[in-house]
């Protein structure tokens, strides 16, 4: 799955393959709270990312990749 890059309000953002994020997190047995804390976003924001309603910045996407391997 490919990560798409876009610009929103002048900031570069990363549109993650959101269905893969939740699947990977659940496969690893990680909680939404725990992953959100490690990525540096709120639980509600990460939930929105997982449902495709929000996007990650490149820095956040890199942190998420580190957390989920």
């Amino acid at each position: 799955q490919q990560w798409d890059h876009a610009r929103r309000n002048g900031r570069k953002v990363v549109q993650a393959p959101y269905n893969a994020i939740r699947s990977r997190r659940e496969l690893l047995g990680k909680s939404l709270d725990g992953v959100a804390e490690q990525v540096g976003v709120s639980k509600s924001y990460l939930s929105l990312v997982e449902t495709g309603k929000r996007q990650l910045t490149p820095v956040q996407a890199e942190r998420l990749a580190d957390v989920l391997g």
Side-chain angles (χ1 to χ4, degrees):
Q1 294 180 358
Q2 187 174 7
W3 294 64
D4 297 319
H5 297 274
R7 288 211 174 265
R8 298 262 165 109
N9 298 324
R11 289 179 46 201
K12 187 173 181 181
V13 294
V14 178
Q15 184 173 9
Y18 57 87
N19 54 344
I21 295 171
R22 178 174 283 158
S23 296
R24 179 70 177 163
R25 178 179 60 76
E26 290 175 347
L27 179 70
L28 295 172
K30 293 183 178 267
S31 71
L32 187 64
D33 285 329
V35 172
E37 184 176 331
Q38 289 179 289
V39 172
V41 298
S42 69
K43 174 184 171 183
S44 61
Y45 191 85
L46 184 56
S47 178
L48 291 170
V49 170
E50 287 188 343
T51 57
K53 296 177 183 167
R54 292 288 182 268
Q55 298 179 341
L56 297 170
T57 65
V59 171
Q60 292 166 337
E62 187 174 322
R63 289 180 190 155
L64 181 64
D66 289 343
V67 171
L68 298 182

